[in-house]
Amino acid sequence: MKELSAIAKSVQASPTMAIDAMFKQMRADGEDVIGFAAGEPDFNTPDHIKKAAVQAIEENFTRYTPAAGILPLKQAICDRVHADLGDKVCYAPEQVVVSSGAKHVLYLALRAITNPGDEIVIFTPGYVSYFEMVRMVGGVPVNVPTLEENGFKPVPAEFEAVITPKTKAVIFNSPGNPTGAVYDESELQALADICVKHDLYIISDEIYNCLVYDGKPYTSMAVLGPQVRERLILVNGVSKAYAMTGWRIGYGLTTKEIAKVMSNYVSQSTGSPCAISQKAALEGLTASQDLVGTMREAFQARRDYMVSRINAIDKVSCIKPEGAFYVMMNIKKLLGTTIGGSRIKSGEDFAKALLTQGKVALIPGEGFCAPGYVRWTYAASMENIKEGMDRLERFLAQ
Ligand SMILES: Cc1ncc(COP(=O)(O)O)c(C=O)c1O
């Protein structure tokens, strides 16, 4: 047999999915494990959104749609962005591409701008899929590490220092997964200025925009003016805001030219996003946003609880994330120690030991390029978070 594609063979399975699969298997086997690994809201999709989908089916809205999404949904996306970000940000439906989840929109964005060998800058710790997606389109990921003491935000000069003639774009993510870092406008401006100076595209993943805490406003790369918007692909979706992870609707807002290229890719690959899910997403975006606020308040209370419990435990610590629903727990003081007979040399060792002994699933930092850390999600019930923290305490007390 001839060789499979070298690029395809080099793609690694998502480590977050791998741990989640192990956790689900243990649970299927009847073990009392608690999961803090998967990044999805534990809330159910709101009823009014589910009803819109049922209505779509009953009305036989079940056929192919335009490749980049139905016009009312594209218009609703423009309106939502306008409502969230104000008059400075005005997109037209031709600038919108709806696809099967924000993940796929990120892939399309990278496909649209990357030639083989182009370098794409990623700030680390970063979302696991960025690294593999860049490789999947023939690009080269270039990591710029950030530090916990800087709130996991990059030093602009360190970003500028990695730029070469081959640098094509930067992937930016606020609020961030896995760090929960939220950038204010001046921090965004400092990074955007570098992108304008070096003529780089900006892929700005703002999928957690509804989850910014403590009354801090959400701001976006899109507010920084036309010089930024002409190089920007703003990525978002309905998964996190409306508890719709399984419906697979994400969207990108960009220039008409880039939107056209992305849309052509959709038309020749997935064809179009799911018609029924588009109707559900339309309902989510256009109905009252009160439930989004209710979910945000619940997440904030869980974050506060989790952060205070972690920081009360010896040898582990975390900073308080300002957005998304993750906590990066620093386990550096545990490296080189033995817990319950398990030698801990890495985040992976720690996550495996905690899962097998403590019956708690979380994600090792290595997949995010964050050795010395493990990621918890607080998209879990308060009851489970309490139990998870008790288990962590008992595991570490051995
Ligand atoms: C930073 C980030 N971007 C994108 C996604 C993917 O979102 P979607 O479910 O819309 O594909 C996730 C999901 O975990 C994420 O954390």
Side-chain angles (χ1 to χ4, degrees):
M1 294 288 270
K2 292 200 173 168
E3 278 271 300
L4 293 179
S5 145
I7 287 192
K9 279 203 306 181
S10 75
V11 176
Q12 305 288 315
S14 162
T16 62
M17 300 264 185
I19 289 269
D20 200 46
M22 209 168 141
F23 154 72
K24 283 180 179 142
Q25 186 58 52
M26 285 171 80
R27 209 165 51 177
D29 293 344
E31 294 201 49
D32 169 29
V33 282
I34 311 181
F36 297 94
E40 57 183 342
D42 55 313
F43 299 107
N44 291 325
T45 303
D47 283 344
H48 65 101
I49 296 178
K50 291 193 277 199
K51 279 191 188 127
V54 170
Q55 192 182 338
I57 295 172
E58 282 172 357
E59 289 174 358
N60 293 310
F61 193 76
T62 53
R63 298 194 162 81
Y64 296 136
T65 73
I70 53 174
L71 185 58
L73 178 56
K74 287 175 159 189
Q75 185 62 57
I77 290 163
C78 297
D79 294 347
R80 170 94 350 252
V81 169
H82 191 213
D84 287 346
L85 297 175
D87 287 343
K88 281 196 267 178
V89 186
C90 195
Y91 282 98
E94 312 88 86
Q95 295 176 276
V96 179
V97 178
V98 180
S99 194
S100 309
K103 216 173 196 176
H104 194 240
V105 178
L106 286 164
Y107 178 75
L108 293 170
L110 283 165
R111 257 291 48 128
I113 60 177
T114 313
N115 283 319
D118 282 350
E119 294 172 358
I120 312 289
V121 177
I122 300 169
F123 300 117
T124 63
Y127 177 47
V128 286
S129 297
Y130 297 151
F131 313 101
E132 293 307 315
M133 276 192 207
V134 169
R135 279 191 270 269
M136 281 157 75
V137 299
V140 179
V142 174
N143 294 352
V144 175
T146 67
L147 296 175
E148 190 178 5
E149 49 267 41
N150 294 337
F152 291 115
K153 293 176 191 172
V155 176
E158 290 176 9
F159 165 36
E160 192 159 20
V162 303
I163 295 172
T164 73
K166 285 188 169 175
T167 311
K168 193 66 163 291
V170 56
I171 306 180
F172 181 76
N173 177 211
S174 173
N177 174 8
T179 64
V182 176
Y183 292 62
D184 62 30
E185 203 170 315
S186 65
E187 291 166 330
L188 294 180
Q189 188 72 60
L191 298 176
D193 286 346
I194 295 171
C195 296
V196 172
K197 180 172 161 197
H198 295 274
D199 190 20
L200 307 183
Y201 288 103
I202 304 169
I203 298 176
S204 188
D205 179 352
E206 301 180 11
I207 186 84
Y208 295 99
N209 73 315
C210 292
L211 299 176
V212 180
Y213 306 116
D214 306 317
K216 189 173 167 153
Y218 146 66
T219 188
S220 163
M221 278 284 179
V223 305
L224 301 180
Q227 269 196 317
V228 172
R229 281 198 294 277
E230 72 184 12
R231 61 188 65 255
L232 176 66
I233 305 171
L234 172 58
V235 179
N236 205 332
V238 296
S239 289
K240 318 286 176 175
Y242 308 110
M244 291 179 70
T245 47
W247 299 76
R248 309 312 303 132
I249 294 291
Y251 50 87
L253 298 112
T254 183
T255 63
K256 282 184 197 167
E257 188 199 356
I258 299 175
K260 185 85 192 111
V261 175
M262 290 169 68
S263 147
N264 288 347
Y265 250 92
V266 178
S267 75
Q268 300 295 5
S269 50
T270 56
S272 63
C274 168
I276 299 150
S277 295
Q278 288 187 67
K279 285 285 191 174
L282 176 60
E283 172 66 18
L285 286 158
T286 51
S288 155
Q289 301 294 294
D290 289 354
L291 275 175
V292 178
T294 309
M295 287 193 260
R296 181 172 47 239
E297 278 166 27
F299 284 132
Q300 182 172 317
R302 296 164 183 192
R303 174 203 62 168
D304 291 347
Y305 178 80
M306 186 178 265
V307 167
S308 68
R309 284 291 303 267
I310 288 175
N311 284 324
I313 300 174
D314 202 24
K315 294 209 169 64
V316 292
S317 62
C318 66
I319 56 172
K320 196 184 224 181
E322 293 179 307
F325 41 53
Y326 308 103
V327 168
M328 286 292 269
M329 184 169 81
N330 185 325
I331 57 156
K332 288 177 187 168
K333 287 188 185 155
L334 295 170
L335 299 179
T337 65
T338 301
I339 308 175
S342 303
R343 190 96 182 121
I344 309 294
K345 293 195 298 291
S346 64
E348 272 164 29
D349 290 344
F350 180 88
K352 216 166 151 194
L354 184 63
L355 181 57
T356 49
Q357 296 181 45
K359 308 285 185 241
V360 167
L362 33 78
I363 305 283
E366 282 81 1
F368 310 105
C369 292
Y373 293 88
V374 287
R375 189 197 77 179
W376 293 81
T377 175
Y378 46 90
S381 70
M382 195 58 133
E383 194 190 348
N384 277 356
I385 294 174
K386 284 184 178 152
E387 178 60 22
M389 290 295 125
D390 290 347
R391 290 184 187 193
L392 171 70
E393 228 166 46
R394 284 200 294 274
F395 171 70
L396 291 174
Q398 294 179 77

